[in-house]
Amino acid sequence: MTGSDSVLSIKGVGPEVAKKLRILGITTISELLLHYPRRYEDYSNVSPIQNIKPGQVTIKAVIKQIKGRYVRRGMHITEAVASDDTSSVRVIWFNQPYRENAMRPGQEYFISGELGLSHQRMSITNPAVELVSDFPVSTARIVPVYRETKGLKSAQIRKYIKACSRLINGQAETLPSWILASHALMSRSDAMFSMHFPESLPSLEMAKKRLGFEEVFELSLAALLNKYELLQEESVVIPFDVKIAQDFVKHLPFTLTDAQKQVIWQIYNDLAKSQPMNRLVEGDVGSGKTVVAAMSAVMAMQQGFQVAYMAPTALLARQHADTLKKLLTPLDFDSKVGELRGSMKTPEKKIVYDKLENGELGLIVGTHAVIQDKVRMKRLGLVIIDEQHRFGVEQRKRLQAKAGIMPHVLTMTATPIPRTLALTLYGELDISVINTKPAGRLLIKTELVSPNSKQQMYDKVDKELEAGRQMFVVCPLITDEDPSKRSVEAVHTELSRKYFKNRHVGLLHGKLSSAEKDQIMADFIEKKYDILVSTTVIEVGVDVPNATVMIIEDAERFGLAQLHQLRGRVGRSEHQGYCYLILSDSKPASRRLRALEQSHDGFKLAELDLELRGPGAIYGTMQHGELDLRVAKLTDVKLISQARSAAQQFIDNKENLIQYNHLYNKVQKLRAVTNVS
Ligand code: ADP
Ligand code: MG
């Protein structure tokens, strides 16, 4: 048996089990050994029965009087008495009729489970039971709990891992020994063994530290190598031209915030270098990223370079094109702005392609249509990507390949990425943060609403509509396929037939064609609707200054960052904005949602989400599944900074990566994923 063997070579694993394991992403023994527990239950303390207290307990006892019976509605109960030298306790299992015959009277067992009141009597309910003479896997130890799938329980997974555990010893070391020594890390095989068979909680923590360190080290190394590779590349030089910058600023209807100025300055510095810029601008909704993008674009355009501006949706591309045209009009660049959308007719596109190829157009705004193979640019010098996490890595690579020259890349996001997450995932990017908003903005009044106070809420918001304002209503679903969630269709019907009979209610969702969506949005902007019921397609960027109310149905179903983003759609003018978060039921609101009432800082909210829901929730929206952190906690700032500096040291030492077989393969894979240049 070796690690690359199929799980079928494990004793007890047949084709049926193998199929279930495959659902968990496990086909080989190595993959099984890398299936680390999600959590642990500490059953390591074996207590005399007379000492046990309610909670998780383990006893070493003999089973007596075991008997099963069916009670009402087909429910089955197996009841037994477990005794040791000190006392006896009742043990019950629900709906596990096989228990009665599985136990041999007179034999000694470890019994691990929850002690508590059941039908007014102290009992251990649904415990795991293993013969003392066997090597226990589910009792009398710190019991690992694995990710399960239907028909494959943690207890089985424990047995399979036990059956091939001796292979863990053969696992090669993956980190250079000087790193292990300087950070007091245990060996890889010891750590892996501890993950599945922890001896104590402290040793488990050591194991997690070791493996988490490795993960962050690998990610950081991949990011740094990408970064240095990019620095070897030569890009176009776009020197700073003070006149064009001053001209642009002179015509703005407002003064730039200090944060905007600082970020623009960083970008101008990058553009003037012969190394390609690879910068991420993070700025909360409404912080004014578009102006920053426009100022970057004019610098390139002024010097004869073309700029590609990509937006995540057609809707947004439309709006950005208009905004950019307006911003560029005083410089007479507006005629150089073109648009590309998937929904455009072929002859229309052809004209744009030609103008890009002969250099007539200096700025092309669109969705990923901008990076299709047919698009040939004469002199692409700068790529600006709005909401970069919506674009796949492959798409980015194609852009670069096609440009012939290496363009500068500026990405912008309103997703507040907590610092630790940004450092780990985007280590190769230079990050700029626009951390203040233009002065004089009103905070959006945010309120949590229980579903039975809706009428009062509607009465309140109707005053806004009466005053000529508009409102968004966001729902998690399009149709009523899941009765437990609110859908745009159901809510649209409810609002137009019941609560707002005399108002115009529009409907918008992602299943409509781009042309339909554009039309509905345009109609909303022209006030043909008072209310727009929508899915989260309106999440990014769409600007409707007259909309002052945002109602979000089933608010629990969204992440904090997403809710904050949605809230940012209103209050984009001098009018006070309102956000109502409707709870799914009348239970008290979670701490998560209550945070939105108090905080208007997207970064703080994202940090909190990271803490309360873990990186998975944030990954989910960022499509970074492949980055696959199994152990490391992104909230562990100390570990991350140590692992990052170890990666830097690895490079500074001029270590030869190819020497480290495993590390080399892993890092190559990660480099492909994180390669955003
Ligand atoms: P986001 O960062 O969410 O993309 P936008 O670029 O759309 O924000 O800017 C939001 C609004 O703020 C726009 O109407 C824009 O004109 C305005 N704005 C941007 N910068 C400033 C500023 N320095 N002072 C006042 N208003 C500004
Ligand atoms: Mg924007």
Side-chain angles (χ1 to χ4, degrees), residues 61 63 91 93 99 102-103 108-112 126-132 138-139 159:
I63 295 276
V91 179
W93 290 272
R99 290 284 182 187
M103 238 81 72
E108 208 175 17
Y109 292 95
F110 283 125
I111 302 173
S112 288
N126 292 331
V129 177
E130 288 169 309
L131 271 176
V132 168
S138 297
T139 57
K159 282 189 194 138

Side-chain angles (χ1 to χ4, degrees), residues 252-258 260-261 281-293 309 319-320 323 327 386-387 412-414 434 436-441 540-543 545 565 568-569 571-573:
L252 283 177
F254 45 75
T255 44
L256 294 171
T257 62
D258 287 347
Q260 282 171 320
K261 282 186 207 158
V281 174
E282 284 187 73
D284 210 347
V285 271
S287 60
K289 293 184 292 295
T290 317
V291 180
V292 171
Y309 188 116
Q319 201 164 40
H320 277 314
T323 310
L327 285 167
D386 198 13
E387 286 311 323
M412 296 189 295
T413 182
I434 307 183
T436 53
K437 287 193 191 170
R441 287 275 170 82
V540 268
V542 203
D543 226 343
Q565 185 99 341
R569 298 295 110 225
R572 296 175 77 80
S573 65

